[in-house]
Amino acid sequence: MATTAPTGSPLSQPSLTHPPPPRKVTTVKALSESPGLSSIPSIYTFPKQTYHEPVSDTKEPIPTIDFSLLTSSHPGQRSKTIRELGKACRNWGFFMVTNHGVPERMMKAIIEVCREFFELPEEEKRGIGGKHVLDPIRFGTSFNESVDEILCWRDYVKIFQHPEFHSPKKPPSFSKRVRLVAREIIRGISESLGLEKDYIDETLNLENGLQLIAANLYPPCPRPELAMGLPPHSDHGLLTLLIQNQIGGLQVQHKGKWVNIDPIPNSFLANIGDHIEILSNGKYKSVLHRAVVNNRDERISIAVPHGPALDAIVSPASKLVENVGNPPAYGAMKYKEYLELQQGTMLNGKSCLERIRNGD
C-alpha cells in the first residue's frame, strides 16, 4: 500500500525534486573590466593537456583563392581556380579569399557597428533576442552558457540575415554582398567535386538558405594561457566567411597541428562546414579551428556562416556514393535538426558530426 511521507521528512523536501536554479553568468566584457583583475575564475580554465598543444611552425603557405578568377569569363582561368579550390578543400578545409569585390570600407563599418553593440550597457544587451538556436537575434556569452561546463572567454551576438533579414541596426548591403560571394564559392566547390555547378545550390535550396552574422568579442584576458576564446570545433553549414579587426587569434588544425592564421588585408577567411563534409561523403572535411586570447588587445571577429534551407535534408550526393566501394558515410538529417543538436550540447570538436556518421 502506498504511504505518504510525513511533513518535514527528507522525502517531502522540494529541493530533492526541483532542479537548481540556472546559474547567472556575467559577460566576459564585464568580467574583464573588473578593477585589478589579475586571474580568472576557475570556470574559465580549460584543461591544459587538451587545449594547449604547441602551434606548428609550418612554412606551408595557406591556400588563397582569387575570387575574380573564380568568376572569370575566361574558361581556362576559372577551371584552374576551381582545381585550386578543390585542393584547398581537400588538404586544408580552409583558405583565404582575395579580390572578392566587397569594399574594405563596408567590412570596417560592420566591425565598428558590432564594436558599438558590445559597448552597450549589460542590461540592454541581455534584453536583446532569445536563447534558442533558431531565434533570429541572440546575445550571450561562452558558446552555450546553459550547458558549458567550462566557459569560453567570449561574448557574442548572432543575427539571422537570410532568408529573413533581422538586425538591431541595418547593414543589409554587407550581408547581401557576402552572400553573393559565398554562393559563387559554393558553386565552385560543387564543380570541384565533379557535380553540376548548381547541384548544391538547387539540392539544398540555397535561394532560401540560412545566412547569419555571428559577431564575437574576445576581451583581453589576464591569464590567456588558461582560457580559450572558443575551443576546437567545426562549423555547421556549408561555408563560413570571416573578417576580424587587426588582432589575431584564429588557429586552424592542419596535419594534426595548430597553425596561426594571419589574414591578407581585406580578405575573407573561409572554412568549409560539416554539411560540405556530409554532402561530399567525407572527400572534403570540415576543418577544426579555435580562437585563442591574449592579455593586451580586444579582438572582434565576424563570422558569416552560410547553410542550406532549414528544412533541407542533407545527405551524401548520390553521384558520389553510386559505386559499391564508397557507401554513404553519413546519415541524412534535416539542417534544422542538426542546428538544434549542436546547440543542445557542449562545443567539442566534431562531436555532432560523429553522431550521424554511419558505422563501418
Side-chain angles (χ1 to χ4, degrees):
M1 182 174 66
T3 59
T4 303
T7 302
S9 77
L11 292 176
S12 68
Q13 298 304 308
S15 61
L16 296 178
T17 57
H18 292 177
R23 65 186 177 195
K24 183 169 181 172
V25 179
T26 186
T27 64
V28 176
K29 180 172 176 58
L31 177 61
S32 70
E33 293 172 349
S34 303
L37 184 70
S38 60
S39 61
I40 61 175
S42 60
I43 198 168
Y44 290 94
T45 302
F46 277 80
K48 189 175 181 67
Q49 68 275 18
T50 305
Y51 290 102
H52 293 77
E53 302 95 332
V55 174
S56 171
D57 59 356
T58 180
K59 297 295 187 279
E60 185 178 350
I62 294 164
T64 300
I65 301 300
D66 186 329
F67 186 77
S68 67
L69 299 181
L70 183 64
T71 56
S72 172
S73 59
H74 189 287
Q77 286 184 328
R78 188 170 186 279
S79 295
K80 180 174 182 288
T81 306
I82 286 174
R83 289 195 297 273
E84 292 172 351
L85 177 60
K87 183 179 179 181
C89 291
R90 188 169 56 252
N91 294 344
W92 280 77
F94 176 87
F95 47 93
M96 286 187 271
V97 182
T98 60
N99 297 323
H100 45 70
V102 181
E104 185 174 11
R105 58 174 172 74
M106 191 178 284
M107 298 167 76
K108 288 181 176 178
I110 191 69
I111 290 174
E112 181 60 21
V113 165
C114 292
R115 187 194 66 76
E116 291 173 358
F117 171 83
F118 287 120
E119 292 291 337
L120 293 174
E122 295 297 293
E123 59 275 11
E124 189 171 342
K125 289 183 290 190
R126 283 290 190 185
I128 289 176
K131 296 298 179 187
H132 189 270
V133 65
L134 297 178
D135 288 333
I137 302 178
R138 290 186 294 142
F139 169 76
T141 191
S142 191
F143 172 70
N144 184 348
E145 60 194 87
S146 64
V147 300
D148 291 343
E149 293 178 359
I150 305 173
L151 296 180
C152 307
W153 197 263
R154 169 232 195 193
D155 295 335
Y156 67 85
V157 60
K158 296 184 178 183
I159 309 167
F160 280 27
Q161 303 290 285
H162 192 271
E164 292 185 11
F165 179 80
H166 301 266
S167 187
K169 295 187 177 182
K170 286 190 173 274
S173 53
F174 172 80
S175 302
K176 288 178 179 177
R177 295 287 288 270
V178 174
R179 186 165 170 266
L180 291 174
V181 172
R183 285 184 78 177
E184 200 59 48
I185 293 173
I186 291 168
R187 290 187 180 104
I189 291 173
S190 188
E191 286 189 79
S192 76
L193 286 167
L195 304 171
E196 294 295 325
K197 176 180 179 180
D198 289 318
Y199 177 87
I200 297 176
D201 201 290
E202 293 175 357
T203 302
L204 301 182
N205 188 15
L206 297 199
E207 188 62 35
N208 294 301
L210 179 67
Q211 181 199 42
L212 61 93
I213 282 180
N216 306 296
L217 176 74
Y218 304 102
C221 177
R223 298 295 303 276
E225 74 281 6
L226 300 178
M228 291 295 298
L230 278 173
H233 66 284
S234 59
D235 290 349
H236 65 79
L238 301 167
L239 182 75
T240 297
L241 297 177
L242 181 139
I243 61 174
Q244 61 183 26
N245 62 356
Q246 300 305 307
I247 308 303
L250 175 66
Q251 297 177 343
V252 300
Q253 194 173 82
H254 180 59
K255 297 180 178 178
K257 293 186 178 180
W258 293 104
V259 178
N260 285 314
I261 301 300
D262 298 313
I264 298 170
N266 197 33
S267 67
F268 282 111
L269 303 176
N271 64 271
I272 58 175
D274 292 344
H275 290 82
I276 286 290
E277 178 166 340
I278 295 168
L279 182 131
S280 72
N281 203 38
K283 183 175 182 179
Y284 296 165
K285 298 221 170 7
S286 55
V287 65
L288 280 175
H289 53 289
R290 65 184 186 182
V292 297
V293 294
N294 69 83
N295 59 7
R296 304 173 308 279
D297 300 306
E298 177 181 270
R299 177 174 179 249
I300 294 175
S301 71
I302 300 174
V304 190
H306 298 81
L310 286 171
D311 60 356
I313 296 174
V314 188
S315 62
S318 57
K319 185 176 179 179
L320 302 179
V321 295
E322 283 174 351
N323 63 69
V324 178
N326 192 34
Y330 306 89
M333 178 179 273
K334 192 176 286 189
Y335 181 45
K336 172 184 176 181
E337 293 171 355
Y338 192 93
L339 284 175
E340 292 172 329
L341 174 67
Q342 186 193 61
Q343 182 63 23
T345 58
M346 291 181 294
L347 202 59
N348 180 21
K350 299 173 80 166
S351 59
C352 284
L353 193 59
E354 291 301 321
R355 288 175 68 172
I356 64 168
R357 187 188 296 274
N358 291 332
D360 296 330

